[in-house]
Each structure stands twice: as C-alpha cells, then as structure tokens.
Amino acid sequence: MNLPASIDATQALLSSAGYVADRALSTVVFLSLKLQRPLFLEGEAGVGKTEIAKVLARSLGRPLIRLQCYEGLDVAAAVYEWNYAGQMMAIRLTEASGAVDRERLEAELFSERYLIRRPLLRALEPGEGGAPVLLIDELDRTDEAFEAFLLEVLSDFQVTIPELGTIRAPEPPLVILTSNRTREIHDALKRRCLYHWVDYPDAERELQILRARLPHAPEALSRQVVAFVQAIRKEDLFKAPGVAETLDWATALVELDAVALDPTLVIDTLGVLLKYQDDIQAMQGGRAKALLDEVRSSAG
C-alpha cells in the first residue's frame, strides 16, 4: 500500500486500523513518512506509543521489526552476531578433511552464511510491499553507549560490520522510537528525529478509542468508564492508568456483564485498572465511591 498523501489521509489510515489519533499526532506521522525521518515518541506508559508502529505496519502492509530495549542491550543482540557454533563445526570439518586453505576458510567463516541478523540489520533489508516498520521500543531503558551506536543507523540507515563492510538500506525503513522518559535521551539522537509527546487523551477522544476497540460495550458503561478514568488520573497516584488500562478495564467489565458502574464492582476490579498496591489502597474505601458519585453527578 502506498504512503498517505496528506494529513487527513494519514488520520484516516490510522483510524481504519482502530487508532484514534488527534490532528497533531497525525501531522507528525505524515511528516515522518513523507520526509523519511525517524519519529521519536515520548509519553507515559500505556498511552499508545507502541501501538502506532503496529498500526502503521498493519495498515500499510509492511513487516514490523521490533527491537525491545533493555539495560545492557548491545550490538550482538540489536544488530548482528556470528554463528560461532556453525563456524567451529566448519573449522573442524575442514581440519578433518586435511585440506586447509586458511585464507579461503577465513573468508567463508565470515561470510553472510554465518551471519545472524538481529532487528536493526533486518530492518535495512527490503521487505514485501516496501521498507519495513522498525520499532525501537522503550529506548530510555538502554544506556548512552547504545544511543551513540544508533546515530549511524538513524543518520544514514547503514551499519558497519568489520568483516563484511558497510551494509546500507536500499530504502530507509519507517522508524518509530518510543520512550517512557525514565531518563533523558541525548540531544544528538533527538536531532535526527521528528518529536511528539503522546499525552493522555481527553474524555471525548478516549471515548472514541473505547468505541473503536470495544464497539459491543454498552454505551452507558463506556461513558462511565471513561469519566471515571479521567477523574482517577487527577488523583495523587504512583502510576495513573493509561489508555491500555482503560481498554483492559472496559473489557473486563463487559465480561462481567456490567451495564453500569457501582462501588462494589469498581473496588473488585481496581487491579485491572491500577498496577500498584499503594494506588489500589488509596482508592479503596470511600475514595473510589466518591469519584464514582462525582461521575454519576456529572452524567446526570
């Protein structure tokens, strides 16, 4: 599928795959695709950053290559490594045959036959239907050394393998980087990207998201769920619920055949919405009921 030709087309593309994006996000996604620039998305966990890459890959018919970042991530896990077991076997077989041509053997051992391609290297290869979507997820979990390595990849869409040389992408991949902002990402990397902060949606857009993802949910329940989540985000919590938790909670309530919220139901299902015991305890007792009363009063 061809890339969208306008901001409106980008917004419609995301919407067709169930992602309700506002105008600002649709604009930066369009520019990222148009200018072939990586898109760096920051925001709280659960607001839909990762989902953008998944939706783009699905709606454009491109393969999705995901690099999940973590502390200690290195080149061997992110880019490539050599099949050492295969190389050792080849050495032993050659020695056993008695005909050892060391130069030829070395050239064969460090050829693409023994190269194990990791996500960043695979993203530089052409895919069916066009360049793949490369998702570099939760970049803030890595260290600055890995960020420095990414500069070559994001600047020229190439990686250098000493034994093989420089491998360049015939067509740049569509790159999405995400960060939960547990630490600051270096300016040198940010300058190579377009930037957007993905915030919690307002009530109207969150209701649209819920309707798109859970169309069979009762309308009254959907409205109360969104209103309650919007209210609880204003509380002093360790981790406010994201859109992902809103969808999980609404799904759980539908499975329980709920048609509206009541205090007992809210208390019993807080573990779906909140992920820290201190937050759950803060909402138990009278606080959850008070918020629900406010929601009902506003709806009334």
Side-chain angles (χ1 to χ4, degrees):
M1 182 175 179
N2 293 329
L3 298 179
S6 66
I7 297 170
D8 289 337
T10 302
Q11 196 163 18
L13 180 74
L14 296 173
S15 179
S16 68
Y19 194 99
V20 182
D22 59 20
R23 183 76 177 181
L25 178 57
S26 300
T27 299
V28 76
V29 170
F30 167 71
L31 290 173
S32 173
L33 298 175
K34 185 74 172 178
L35 302 176
Q36 295 185 327
R37 293 280 298 278
L39 176 57
F40 183 65
L41 301 173
E42 275 192 323
E44 299 291 339
V47 294
K49 305 182 297 297
T50 299
E51 191 65 20
I52 292 174
K54 295 179 180 179
V55 165
L56 281 177
R58 187 164 62 247
S59 56
L60 293 173
R62 308 286 184 95
L64 174 66
I65 298 175
R66 179 173 182 169
L67 175 62
Q68 180 61 53
C69 298
Y70 55 86
E71 186 177 354
L73 180 65
D74 59 10
V75 172
V79 190
Y80 76 96
E81 64 178 328
W82 295 104
N83 184 350
Y84 298 115
Q87 289 172 324
M88 289 300 300
M89 185 175 293
I91 291 171
R92 289 172 181 172
L93 289 174
T94 302
E95 290 176 343
S97 69
V100 180
D101 182 338
R102 294 189 178 280
E103 289 187 3
R104 180 178 177 182
L105 177 60
E106 184 177 350
E108 181 180 344
L109 291 176
F110 292 100
S111 64
E112 294 203 12
R113 176 182 178 183
Y114 295 100
L115 184 66
I116 300 175
R117 292 169 171 80
R118 299 304 186 193
L120 291 183
L121 187 56
R122 287 191 285 115
L124 300 182
E125 299 173 345
E128 293 184 10
V133 176
L134 171 61
L135 169 62
I136 302 176
D137 207 15
E138 297 184 321
L139 181 60
D140 52 319
R141 290 180 178 268
T142 63
D143 53 31
E144 293 186 2
F146 185 75
E147 278 188 49
F149 174 80
L150 276 181
L151 295 179
E152 178 186 18
V153 179
L154 299 183
S155 295
D156 304 312
F157 296 106
Q158 65 180 36
V159 296
T160 301
I161 301 175
E163 298 86 352
L164 293 178
T166 300
I167 297 177
R168 295 180 176 84
E171 180 184 355
L174 312 179
V175 184
I176 306 290
L177 303 97
T178 75
S179 168
N180 295 333
R181 207 175 188 181
T182 58
R183 70 171 180 86
E184 287 294 333
I185 302 301
H186 199 277
D187 288 346
L189 191 142
K190 283 187 173 182
R191 284 198 299 269
R192 286 157 174 79
C193 307
L194 302 184
Y195 176 86
H196 187 77
W197 174 266
V198 183
D199 208 346
Y200 294 116
D202 59 22
E204 180 181 357
R205 190 158 67 89
E206 192 158 25
L207 184 58
Q208 290 176 346
I209 294 169
L210 186 52
R211 286 168 175 165
R213 292 301 183 91
L214 209 64
H216 58 284
E219 178 67 18
L221 178 66
S222 296
R223 289 183 176 276
Q224 287 185 352
V225 164
V226 168
F228 187 85
V229 172
Q230 291 279 326
I232 208 173
R233 287 192 186 126
K234 298 175 183 177
E235 298 293 302
D236 184 20
L237 300 176
F238 183 78
K239 173 63 179 72
V243 179
E245 284 75 32
T246 302
L247 295 173
D248 286 346
W249 194 39
T251 301
L253 293 171
V254 169
E255 289 298 319
L256 293 173
D257 298 322
V259 294
L261 293 181
D262 64 65
T264 301
L265 186 61
V266 170
I267 293 297
D268 290 345
T269 57
L270 274 177
V272 182
L273 189 62
L274 302 174
K275 305 303 180 182
Y276 290 89
Q277 178 60 19
D278 289 348
D279 290 345
I280 293 175
Q281 287 182 334
M283 288 297 105
Q284 286 176 337
R287 189 55 194 152
K289 183 180 183 303
L291 288 178
L292 185 56
D293 289 342
E294 291 176 14
V295 166
R296 289 170 169 171
S297 175
S298 299

